[in-house]
Amino acid sequence: MLTIDPRCREQPYGDSVKTMNYLRNCWYAAMWSEALKRGALVAATLLDEPLVFFRDLMGQPVAMDDMCPHRLAPLRLGKLLPDGRVRCGYHGLEFASSGLCVKNPQGNGHIPPNCRVKTYRVVEKHTLVWIWMGDAAPDESLIPEFSYLDANSGYDVGRRDTITMDTHYRYIVDNLMDLSHASFLHDGLLGNEETIFADIQVRQEGPYVFVQRDMNNVRPPLLRDLLFKRDGANVNMWQNIRWSPPSAVLNDIGTYAPGTDRKDFSGQLGCHILTPATADTTLYHTAAARQGPLGAVAEEGDETFKARIAELRTFAFKEQDDPMLKAQLENIRKHPGATPRMLAIDAGPVRCQRILDALIAAEQKKSEPLKEPVP
Ligand code: FES
Ligand SMILES: [Fe+2]
């Protein structure tokens, strides 16, 4: 068990919301691949920067600043032309997918030197579009592992959602890595009073921090019961949540009958991949898949069942977590110097935030991007 670094007690909780605290030499999930359709410009603000995404003629994703170099009009109000160029909607300058201005339809057609839009490296992996917004050379090996989302993974992945959360992404990292809040904020749905007492184990493996809880012979919260036998009988269950910097989380849950083998379980893998939009808003990309050899057969048909599970998850995040986190952020903004009084349940979140702080500090000292977490 890790102990809490006392330095964290001296650090105002409001420090996390400073815009300068974005880690830039890393990958952020901009959107689900399915959300980036051919022939369309898709606007997204990430790390406080307005961007526009589209697919080039080969179908490859492209990201560029949402700002024309002429008079700084937003390109999202322009058009993606059939030849793959982006045309500004204000005076018609056209830009190739490299960002270079290749046509001025006005007057003599002269194109000023350095007339280009900034572009970013974009990669599709695990059915998500990832973007690298830092100055260092992009390293695709740093994209976190979410292979269960892949088309050929063998998992039946449910609805892919992106929820806009009304808080800074680092407070959602705290929320996710603090498994104890499920008993209160998600009482009856993801936890209950019988799950309060479970031990919390924190460990670090490579770039990942894990927080694990085992809860034995407890009344099942609704989601667990739905994914298991739907009889309300007591269960053993685990939750093992994995974070990697800056803000990608994999949640592995399993449920099995007391007195039986742990490998005869029914569970779920869920991703909670956070991308800061602004200092006050976060894009929360999430999708879950069943796992394990056991579990109730969906009575209503699998698609209906998957949709119900997706609805329950969205309800938990948007209707239960988000109002709490939004109100928490309002308090933090009113009291930027206030320091949190940490509990043992905060060991996981504190570990993640320490690593993130160290990575950001190293980056701001112009260090090379780090592959290994800072101990
Ligand atoms: S602002 Fe884009 S062409 Fe004028
Ligand atoms: Fe939650």
Side-chain angles (χ1 to χ4, degrees):
M1 174 75 74
L2 293 163
T3 53
I4 298 169
D5 181 346
R7 283 175 299 169
C8 290
R9 299 174 191 224
E10 296 160 11
Q11 184 179 326
Y13 208 33
D15 279 3
S16 296
V17 296
K18 290 176 183 165
T19 303
M20 61 180 286
N21 276 345
Y22 294 133
L23 188 68
R24 300 192 72 88
N25 291 317
C26 63
W27 296 96
Y28 290 98
M31 63 192 73
W32 292 104
S33 289
E34 65 190 22
L36 188 56
K37 307 223 182 312
R38 278 186 185 242
L41 295 174
V42 179
T45 295
L46 308 179
L47 280 58
D48 281 303
E49 294 184 17
L51 305 173
V52 64
F53 291 77
F54 59 94
R55 291 192 182 276
D56 66 16
L57 290 180
M58 306 297 289
Q60 296 303 309
V62 177
M64 56 176 61
D65 278 347
D66 186 16
M67 188 171 75
C68 174
H70 174 221
R71 276 203 246 147
L72 315 191
L75 291 171
R76 67 177 181 276
L77 299 182
K79 242 187 179 173
L80 180 60
L81 301 175
D83 62 6
R85 295 176 181 178
V86 175
R87 186 167 71 199
C88 179
Y90 202 178
H91 312 96
L93 287 190
E94 293 181 16
F95 302 91
S97 58
S98 66
L100 193 65
C101 180
V102 289
K103 182 175 175 183
N104 170 11
Q106 309 281 348
N108 65 4
H110 174 70
I111 297 173
N114 295 323
C115 186
R116 62 164 58 241
V117 187
K118 183 176 178 185
T119 58
Y120 299 85
R121 176 72 72 85
V122 185
V123 168
E124 273 186 301
K125 194 167 182 185
H126 306 320
T127 67
L128 286 153
V129 177
W130 300 84
I131 184 169
W132 181 278
M133 295 179 70
D135 294 330
D139 178 351
E140 290 188 28
S141 73
L142 294 178
I143 295 176
E145 186 280 325
F146 284 96
S147 54
Y148 87 92
L149 293 169
D150 294 345
N152 58 0
S153 69
Y155 286 91
D156 188 10
V157 180
R159 198 174 72 206
R160 288 166 164 83
D161 280 328
T162 297
I163 303 165
T164 299
M165 301 285 279
D166 296 311
T167 191
H168 190 279
Y169 78 103
R170 289 184 70 157
Y171 300 117
I172 310 178
V173 171
D174 282 353
N175 168 273
L176 288 163
M177 300 308 288
D178 147 34
L179 305 182
S180 61
H181 80 276
S183 299
F184 295 90
L185 196 52
H186 308 297
D187 183 23
L189 177 55
L190 306 180
N192 57 40
E193 60 188 8
E194 295 187 22
T195 65
I196 295 172
F197 306 101
D199 267 353
I200 294 173
Q201 306 293 325
V202 180
R203 69 183 198 283
Q204 189 170 341
E205 291 174 17
Y208 300 113
V209 171
F210 292 86
V211 178
Q212 180 161 359
R213 296 177 95 201
D214 290 308
M215 295 150 277
N216 291 329
N217 201 17
V218 293
R219 188 161 41 84
L222 175 62
L223 186 81
R224 300 291 191 134
D225 199 39
L226 281 175
L227 290 170
F228 193 47
K229 294 191 172 172
R230 301 183 190 173
D231 59 2
N234 275 16
V235 293
N236 292 350
M237 55 192 218
W238 76 77
Q239 182 171 17
N240 190 10
I241 198 158
R242 184 200 80 187
W243 169 87
S244 58
S247 46
V249 171
L250 176 70
N251 188 24
D252 162 9
I253 65 171
T255 308
Y256 59 105
T260 67
D261 196 320
R262 184 184 173 105
K263 67 181 182 345
D264 295 328
F265 74 100
S266 172
Q268 192 182 62
L269 289 174
C271 68
H272 306 257
I273 302 175
L274 311 173
T275 303
T278 67
D280 290 343
T281 56
T282 300
L283 301 181
Y284 189 129
H285 306 292
T286 186
R290 298 280 295 273
Q291 64 167 345
L294 286 189
V297 176
E299 291 159 12
E300 310 97 315
D302 234 26
E303 291 310 312
T304 311
F305 180 74
K306 282 197 300 184
R308 185 171 180 211
I309 296 294
E311 283 306 319
L312 286 175
R313 296 178 78 252
T314 303
F315 175 80
F317 310 145
K318 188 61 192 171
E319 307 300 328
Q320 295 183 323
D321 284 316
D322 194 41
M324 181 65 80
L325 295 175
K326 183 180 180 194
Q328 177 199 34
L329 182 65
E330 286 165 6
N331 272 347
I332 291 167
R333 292 233 186 272
K334 278 186 203 141
H335 306 281
T339 56
R341 302 289 181 269
M342 293 299 186
L343 309 175
I345 56 171
D346 297 306
V350 166
R351 184 74 175 167
C352 299
Q353 301 292 358
R354 282 186 57 204
I355 293 170
L356 196 45
D357 282 342
L359 287 166
I360 291 168
E363 185 174 286
Q364 289 178 354
K365 281 185 203 148
K366 301 273 186 264
S367 298
E368 288 295 313
L370 299 181
K371 271 192 175 185
E372 297 300 322
V374 175

